[in-house]
Amino acid sequence: MNSQLWIACLVGAAAGLVVGQLVFNSPFLGILIGVGLGALVGASLGPKRG
């Protein structure tokens, strides 16, 4: 995996932890959502293969 994907997943997990705790009162659910969104963002920022 590329470094942008890793960074996006980690940032998403950190943000998801906070949002999940505040909104859903479940940090685990927030981490899952954050990692998923981070993976999507990281994949979209990755190198384009044409």
Side-chain angles (χ1 to χ4, degrees), residues 26-50:
S26 172
F28 182 71
L29 180 62
I31 289 174
L32 288 179
I33 293 170
V35 167
L37 291 176
L40 289 176
V41 171
S44 69
L45 293 176
K48 304 289 187 235
R49 296 183 187 119

Side-chain angles (χ1 to χ4, degrees), residues 4-34:
Q4 291 173 335
L5 183 58
W6 276 108
I7 292 169
C9 284
L10 290 175
V11 170
L17 175 67
V18 173
V19 172
Q21 184 64 37
L22 293 175
V23 176
F24 302 113
N25 199 22
S26 172
F28 182 71
L29 180 62
I31 289 174
L32 288 179
I33 293 170

